[in-house]
Amino acid sequence: MKFIIETYGCQMNVADSEMISTIMENSGYELTDTLTDADIIMFNTCSVRQHAEDRVIGRISNEVARKISNKNLVIGVVGCMAQRLGKELGEMNTKIDFVVGVDNYFKLPEIIEGLYNKRHFVSSVDMNHKEIYHDIYPIRSNELNAFVTIMRGCNNFCTYCIVPYVRGRERSRSVDEIIKEIKIAGEKGIKEVTLLGQNVNSYSWEGINFPKLLQKVNKVDGISRVRFVTSHPKDISDELIETMASCDKVCEHIHLPVQSGNNEILKVMNRNYTAEHYLNRISKLRSLIPNIAITTDVIAGFPGETEEQFQDTYNLMKEIRYDFAFMFKYSPRIGTKAAEFNNQVEEAVRLERLQRLIDLQTEITHEKYKEQIGQIKEVYVEGPSKKDENEYSGKSRDFKITIFPGDESLVGKLIKVKVEDAVGWTLKGHLVE
Ligand code: SAH
Ligand code: SF4
Ligand code: F3S
């Protein structure tokens, strides 16, 4: 039996899909990357914004049509939307065979086998507030980068966010398991690891906090680069910044979601920091790691946001000059506090504010990328560029896509590229010896 997983949402879902693949293969199922070969199609879904859900619902409706020609085809939904909607999904689309939530992936083989015996819809979405995925070392969907989950869940309850409801409470994995997983990746020739968690700064295992974990990861042989997402501005300590600066493998990049530049809005968002605190963290980062790239997430049109409050976000982005930003218009999520607020901002205003942020950031990103011209960057080569097959593409330590004329033999290597041009979000250059 062959299965395929289509993955949506954040890196946590990417890592979970690799874990699901291991669980399935250990039970005799075979992973395929061709939809038409699959006996089982799974959608690993995201609930963070309405748009993320709508997209996948559209995809599922397309795929269920295959059941007309392939009566044995099994279609399942896993991930955050599965967790959020549970059996409701089966009512929305009766062609869905199973819905399995984020804490029940161990049950997948058994559930699927059960379906082959007596075909009726199954929903399994119980939550478990302890870490349950022990001793499974994922099949990597990507041979160059290892995404390693270090903690799951979130206790922060930002008022706009569905994640704590679908991912449950924070729990950390043991240091030994994490290091073992990274050693396995290093032995396979993977040079880059990304440590994953909704709030990596909350990592805690038997007295080992996140900076201490980073120091241990920094020592693993074979690995050359260490990244991590996501950091919460309220928890980013001096110890962490100093550790980033002193660990040679930790890359010069931090993703530090700001969400808003206005203190009142930050307060209603339950973010637990002020714009001043955020700026203080940025200056500490920049003073200890001068060439650090900083990226962020922002939300436009949070309930009650006035034009002046929005201006604070705009001006903060202008002041910080992020290398890149993920910008979203506020999307009300049922079950979160902010969705209940009676001062929702009109859709047209949300969109218009979002557009202003995008215009500003596009300009800043272009300027920042142009500033790189003349520099020599270390690039981890990932493969041919999508646009031109004679060009190869990889990422710099500061997380910038860099393309250069190259060949297949360079894939998986760390090379030096001299930057000659910057086009959009891409640096262009030539290999230097
Ligand atoms: N744990 C991470 C990621 C959370 S989800 C963190 O705390 O940063 C990724 C991003 O989606 C968030 O940073 C936020 O900017 C955005 N987001 C979350 N809920 C949203 C909502 N209801 N509407 C719009 N954007 C949202
Ligand atoms: Fe959501 Fe806030 Fe937790 Fe991030 S820290 S996952 S935004 S509740
Ligand atoms: Fe989406 Fe779930 Fe990640 S809601 S952002 S896939 S944790």
Side-chain angles (χ1 to χ4, degrees):
M1 288 286 179
K2 291 187 180 163
F3 68 97
I4 191 165
I5 313 176
E6 210 170 282
T7 307
Y8 294 83
C10 66
Q11 298 298 353
M12 189 66 82
N13 268 8
V14 175
D16 281 357
S17 288
E18 293 180 342
M19 188 176 72
I20 293 170
S21 297
T22 311
I23 294 173
M24 293 289 288
E25 293 218 330
N26 288 346
S27 297
Y29 294 89
E30 189 188 332
L31 180 66
T32 172
D33 52 14
T34 318
L35 264 169
T36 46
D37 283 351
D39 306 293
I40 302 148
I41 305 178
M42 278 185 249
F43 293 89
N44 192 358
T45 58
C46 174
S47 269
V48 82
R49 285 168 292 276
Q50 190 57 44
H51 176 70
E53 291 198 351
D54 294 345
R55 242 177 83 211
V56 76
I57 287 173
R59 276 290 299 133
I60 296 170
S61 319
N62 281 341
E63 290 312 315
V64 293
R66 282 179 199 278
K67 287 195 163 191
I68 300 167
S69 57
N70 178 1
K71 293 225 159 28
N72 289 323
L73 181 67
V74 166
I75 293 195
V77 186
V78 300
C80 298
M81 186 176 68
Q83 190 65 53
R84 188 175 89 77
L85 294 171
K87 60 180 178 355
E88 253 180 72
L89 269 170
E91 288 152 18
M92 280 159 71
N93 190 328
T94 55
K95 295 283 189 286
I96 295 175
D97 297 289
F98 67 85
V99 173
V100 171
V102 297
D103 288 339
N104 293 308
Y105 297 152
F106 270 134
K107 295 187 195 149
L108 276 165
E110 187 194 322
I111 289 171
I112 294 168
E113 207 188 299
L115 281 171
Y116 284 114
N117 296 332
K118 44 174 178 350
R119 287 200 73 121
H120 56 66
F121 175 75
V122 186
S123 164
S124 174
V125 293
D126 302 342
M127 291 197 95
N128 190 318
H129 291 307
K130 291 206 196 84
E131 177 59 19
I132 42 167
Y133 298 118
H134 296 294
D135 284 323
I136 67 171
Y137 298 97
I139 297 170
R140 301 278 168 214
S141 54
N142 169 327
E143 280 148 24
L144 300 168
N145 310 79
F147 294 101
V148 178
T149 304
I150 63 164
M151 50 93 61
R152 291 173 190 278
C154 181
N155 292 351
N156 291 316
F157 289 94
C158 303
T159 52
Y160 51 80
C161 185
I162 195 75
V163 171
Y165 302 91
V166 292
R167 286 283 175 173
R169 297 296 68 72
E170 278 173 2
R171 60 264 190 202
S172 297
R173 282 179 78 198
S174 79
V175 173
D176 288 351
E177 263 179 62
I178 295 168
I179 298 295
K180 184 168 166 196
E181 197 174 316
I182 297 172
K183 278 191 178 144
I184 294 173
E187 281 158 12
K188 279 202 215 137
I190 293 179
K191 292 196 174 64
E192 191 173 284
V193 277
T194 306
L195 308 177
L196 298 178
Q198 292 303 337
N199 179 8
V200 289
N201 313 110
S202 301
Y203 180 83
S204 172
W205 183 266
E206 294 176 353
I208 305 290
N209 65 5
F210 184 59
K212 300 222 164 53
L213 178 70
L214 265 187
Q215 286 161 17
K216 288 184 188 287
V217 175
N218 195 59
K219 291 196 192 112
V220 178
D221 289 337
I223 298 297
S224 308
R225 290 177 168 195
V226 180
R227 303 184 185 281
F228 54 89
V229 274
T230 301
S231 303
H232 196 302
K234 77 177 162 62
D235 295 323
I236 155 164
S237 61
D238 285 352
E239 185 192 5
L240 175 62
I241 301 175
E242 283 152 14
T243 303
M244 288 178 72
S246 66
C247 290
D248 59 326
K249 295 178 185 174
V250 176
C251 290
E252 294 75 25
H253 169 225
I254 191 161
H255 184 64
L256 198 59
V258 67
Q259 315 298 2
S260 167
N262 176 271
N263 287 343
E264 285 145 34
I265 294 291
L266 285 170
K267 192 155 197 224
V268 212
M269 284 178 162
N270 194 30
R271 291 291 286 176
N272 282 303
Y273 56 84
T274 59
E276 293 72 26
H277 169 81
Y278 187 91
L279 286 166
N280 166 286
R281 299 291 78 193
I282 298 284
S283 36
K284 179 92 186 181
L285 281 159
R286 285 184 167 154
S287 73
L288 292 195
I289 312 161
N291 46 354
I292 192 166
I294 302 173
T295 56
T296 200
D297 296 342
V298 247
I299 299 177
F302 181 81
E305 184 188 70
T306 63
E307 173 60 26
E308 289 69 36
Q309 290 171 328
F310 167 76
Q311 285 292 332
D312 287 343
T313 303
Y314 187 94
N315 290 332
L316 184 95
M317 290 181 77
K318 212 165 156 177
E319 179 177 347
I320 292 177
R321 302 185 80 244
Y322 291 105
D323 291 73
F324 188 82
F326 294 96
M327 293 158 279
F328 309 105
K329 72 177 160 73
Y330 170 71
S331 168
R333 310 308 293 134
I334 295 169
T336 62
K337 275 197 183 159
E340 307 291 313
F341 295 164
N342 55 13
N343 52 0
Q344 303 288 325
V345 172
E346 251 177 81
E347 169 79 6
V349 176
R350 280 185 245 165
L351 259 177
E352 184 272 334
R353 287 182 188 164
L354 173 65
Q355 193 55 51
R356 273 190 278 161
L357 295 182
I358 294 174
D359 292 345
L360 169 71
Q361 186 55 47
T362 305
E363 206 181 302
I364 296 172
T365 297
H366 285 173
E367 285 167 14
K368 292 217 78 147
Y369 276 53
K370 291 270 188 225
E371 287 164 15
Q372 304 271 323
I373 294 173
Q375 288 190 24
I376 292 174
K377 318 274 302 180
E378 181 200 90
V379 176
Y380 184 35
V381 187
E382 289 172 356
S385 128
K386 286 189 191 99
K387 287 189 192 132
D388 179 348
E389 57 184 56
N390 296 316
E391 302 266 10
Y392 273 69
S393 163
K395 278 190 205 78
S396 62
R397 284 178 59 102
D398 62 353
F399 211 61
K400 293 182 170 63
I401 295 171
T402 309
I403 62 170
F404 55 90
D407 60 64
E408 200 56 35
S409 71
L410 298 172
V411 174
K413 298 217 162 83
L414 292 164
I415 54 149
K416 293 262 156 51
V417 171
K418 180 161 189 199
V419 180
E420 281 145 359
D421 199 4
V423 184
W425 294 283
T426 309
L427 301 176
K428 286 185 158 188
H430 270 93
L431 207 70
V432 289
E433 296 321 317

